[in-house]
Amino acid sequence: MTEHASSALLTDRYELTMLQGALRSGAAHRRAVFEMFARRLPEARRYGVVAGTGRFLEALRDFRFGTAELDYLSDAGVVDGPTLDWLADYRFTGDVWGYGEGECYFPGSPILVVEGTFAEAVLLETLALSVFNHDTAIASAASRMAVAAQGRPMIEMGSRRTHEGAATASARAAYIAGFASTSNLEAGRRWGVPTAGTSAHAFTLLHDSERHAFGAQIDALGPGTTLLVDTYDVERAVGTAVELAGTGLGGVRVDSGDLAAEAARVRRQLDGLGAAGTRIVVTGDLDEYAIQALAIAPVDGYGVGTALVTGSGAPTASLVYKLVARSREAAPDAPLEPVAKRSVGKPSKGGRKWASRAVGEDGTATAELVHGHEPEPRPGLRPLLRRLVERGEVVGDEPLEAARKRHTRSVAELPAPARRMSRGEPALPTEFPGRL
């Protein structure tokens, strides 16, 4: 999708057929509340990370049915004439609340709350889920990798392993959750994510020798560049790199073999050559477990691709978007009544909800609290929902850096078991004080 194109058809057909049916029944304009949440975390995960809020708000602004969209729906016979007329004037005029982007979440956390008429709010289901399920999955994996890296910088470099649109979204989500940079230039242009990258093995193979390749790269990018040293023989390549760039060589990258053992050998060689400040970056099918295994190796940074952009085994956050309350009348001030599914294995809790995090005196979170009413502010209770849209106007825009800082604070607030890579229960229990 090009920038500023309509996002209205990034949806499922049943959203529009439900709309048509509700218009006919007269229930379309009833007040309604939808909530997005996860019933559980992916296996072995102790927390999740909300991401995609900024992208969702961008898409919401463009959620309009123009001539091209209406013509398609008419020609394909998706909906009838009265529904097309209604869609021609569609504009979301309701309210949206959500967890701040970068915030940690747990099972049952109402990470997005959409209130409006049923007709307006139901149309946003697929758009919201497609954005949040992808970005949240990537950010959740990226956060675990950042924890495993223990402060060492990481480069997101998975663009060649996923859809081109997913690649830019993945770079954004990874940056929120702790990655330092991305190889994806569109993510840099669109969202200001720092970009990084030097050369691949093809560059070395193109030249008549490794020496010529290194010399060309140094001439083009300066001695502070990072040279890829495992095309042929690592030891010889490191020697050549320092000979050509001097002891101020920025870094070397190792992409294959036993990375821990190779990094140790390279570190000894670099130190012996007087290049103690030269960084060692490792790449090659890394995930959080491989990164953790390299914790004691002399590695200065990581490049992560496939595992990151596929959610490291959990490509979706399994978020759902459910109607939890509705009125019996179309009046905007009509009282809401809770509604809930009772399906086996897929129950929901009715009623509009508010969320807060209980935090102890030492600053450590102790529980996720989901309330049936807005709780009174008090010490030790941190509200989690931010207003994102008010009467159809986006009010929750924020710089990407704000989400990145929020994530750092949110993870630091969690109890220590949250940062373990081993299997375990969610780091915080989700509690529902009072009746919902």
Side-chain angles (χ1 to χ4, degrees), residues 100-103 386 398 402-410:
E101 192 162 22
E103 186 70 73
R386 302 174 63 243
E398 63 180 3
R404 183 174 166 88
K405 290 177 181 178
R406 179 182 295 112
H407 176 66
T408 299
R409 293 193 301 268
S410 186

Side-chain angles (χ1 to χ4, degrees), residues 150-216:
Q150 299 179 10
R152 297 169 179 174
M154 295 181 294
I155 305 169
E156 184 283 313
M157 47 194 301
S159 295
R160 293 164 294 158
R161 299 293 187 264
T162 189
H163 180 275
E164 65 274 14
T168 58
S170 294
R172 181 184 182 278
Y175 184 64
I176 288 171
F179 273 63
S181 58
T182 178
S183 64
N184 188 283
L185 290 176
E186 179 60 17
R189 183 190 72 84
R190 188 178 302 183
W191 293 302
V193 180
T195 62
T198 51
S199 66
H201 291 103
F203 184 79
T204 300
L205 296 170
L206 167 70
H207 290 83
D208 295 337
S209 70
E210 195 167 52
R211 175 178 290 274
H212 289 145
F214 287 177

Side-chain angles (χ1 to χ4, degrees), residues 360-386:
E361 293 183 359
D362 64 351
T364 301
T366 58
E368 189 90 337
L369 304 180
V370 180
H371 312 266
H373 57 84
E374 188 168 11
E376 292 292 329
R378 64 176 174 82
L381 201 64
R382 182 166 69 83
L384 294 170
L385 290 174
R386 302 174 63 243

Side-chain angles (χ1 to χ4, degrees), residues 72 106 125 144 149 175 208 212 234 241 279 345 359 372 400 407:
Y72 164 73
F106 300 89
E125 175 186 7
R144 282 165 56 86
Y175 184 64
D208 295 337
H212 289 145
V234 173
R279 302 178 304 276
V359 181
L400 200 58
H407 176 66

Side-chain angles (χ1 to χ4, degrees), residues 68-116:
E69 290 74 36
L70 295 169
D71 285 349
Y72 164 73
L73 294 175
S74 176
D75 293 345
V78 175
V79 291
D80 60 15
T83 305
L84 288 171
D85 292 340
W86 189 90
L87 290 172
D89 295 324
Y90 177 84
R91 178 178 179 276
F92 181 73
T93 62
D95 299 306
V96 180
W97 295 261
Y99 277 38
E101 192 162 22
E103 186 70 73
C104 296
Y105 75 91
F106 300 89
S109 299
I111 66 177
L112 195 74
V113 180
V114 180
E115 183 172 347

Side-chain angles (χ1 to χ4, degrees), residues 99-391:
Y99 277 38
E101 192 162 22
E103 186 70 73
C104 296
Y105 75 91
F106 300 89
S109 299
I111 66 177
L112 195 74
V113 180
V114 180
E115 183 172 347
T117 66
F118 175 84
E120 287 188 0
V122 74
L123 293 187
L124 302 182
E125 175 186 7
T126 300
L127 180 67
L129 288 176
S130 63
V131 171
F132 280 94
N133 263 318
H134 174 269
D135 289 22
T136 295
I138 304 307
S140 298
S143 181
R144 282 165 56 86
M145 294 173 186
V147 168
Q150 299 179 10
R152 297 169 179 174
M154 295 181 294
I155 305 169
E156 184 283 313
M157 47 194 301
S159 295
R160 293 164 294 158
R161 299 293 187 264
T162 189
H163 180 275
E164 65 274 14
T168 58
S170 294
R172 181 184 182 278
Y175 184 64
I176 288 171
F179 273 63
S181 58
T182 178
S183 64
N184 188 283
L185 290 176
E186 179 60 17
R189 183 190 72 84
R190 188 178 302 183
W191 293 302
V193 180
T195 62
T198 51
S199 66
H201 291 103
F203 184 79
T204 300
L205 296 170
L206 167 70
H207 290 83
D208 295 337
S209 70
E210 195 167 52
R211 175 178 290 274
H212 289 145
F214 287 177
Q217 184 173 326
I218 293 166
D219 285 344
L221 302 177
T225 190
T226 297
L227 297 172
L228 181 58
V229 295
D230 70 334
T231 305
Y232 305 118
D233 179 81
V234 173
E235 184 177 357
R236 184 176 63 186
V238 170
T240 301
V242 175
E243 179 186 343
L244 295 176
T247 56
L249 173 64
V252 296
R253 177 162 75 95
V254 181
D255 187 55
S256 58
D258 183 334
L259 296 177
E262 203 67 79
R265 285 193 291 268
V266 170
R267 182 75 273 157
R268 288 194 298 270
Q269 184 180 2
L270 288 170
D271 291 350
L273 293 171
T278 299
R279 302 178 304 276
I280 299 174
V281 178
V282 296
T283 57
D285 295 326
L286 297 177
D287 61 12
E288 61 265 49
Y289 301 106
I291 292 170
Q292 185 180 55
L294 291 165
I296 62 173
V299 172
D300 300 293
Y302 307 92
V304 189
T306 304
L308 176 64
V309 298
T310 57
S312 196
T316 175
S318 298
L319 301 172
V320 295
Y321 183 96
K322 297 300 179 184
L323 181 67
V324 296
R326 52 88 171 170
S327 66
R328 291 184 178 272
E329 302 171 5
D333 58 350
L336 290 168
E337 299 179 356
V339 294
K341 285 178 59 175
R342 294 186 176 87
S343 307
V344 176
K346 293 186 177 181
S348 59
K349 293 182 181 294
R352 201 265 199 229
K353 303 173 193 69
W354 286 260
S356 59
R357 190 155 296 156
V359 181
E361 293 183 359
D362 64 351
T364 301
T366 58
E368 189 90 337
L369 304 180
V370 180
H371 312 266
H373 57 84
E374 188 168 11
E376 292 292 329
R378 64 176 174 82
L381 201 64
R382 182 166 69 83
L384 294 170
L385 290 174
R386 302 174 63 243
R387 187 182 286 272
L388 302 176
V389 179
E390 184 173 9
R391 296 181 182 179

Side-chain angles (χ1 to χ4, degrees), residues 1-36:
M1 185 184 70
T2 58
E3 284 189 305
H4 306 302
S6 171
S7 59
L9 295 186
L10 297 177
T11 191
D12 289 308
R13 179 165 176 157
Y14 84 157
E15 313 290 5
L16 300 187
T17 56
M18 283 193 288
L19 169 65
Q20 179 174 309
L23 288 171
R24 289 197 180 189
S25 74
H29 305 299
R30 290 182 176 184
R31 185 180 171 199
V33 179
F34 286 83
E35 290 177 353
M36 186 171 69

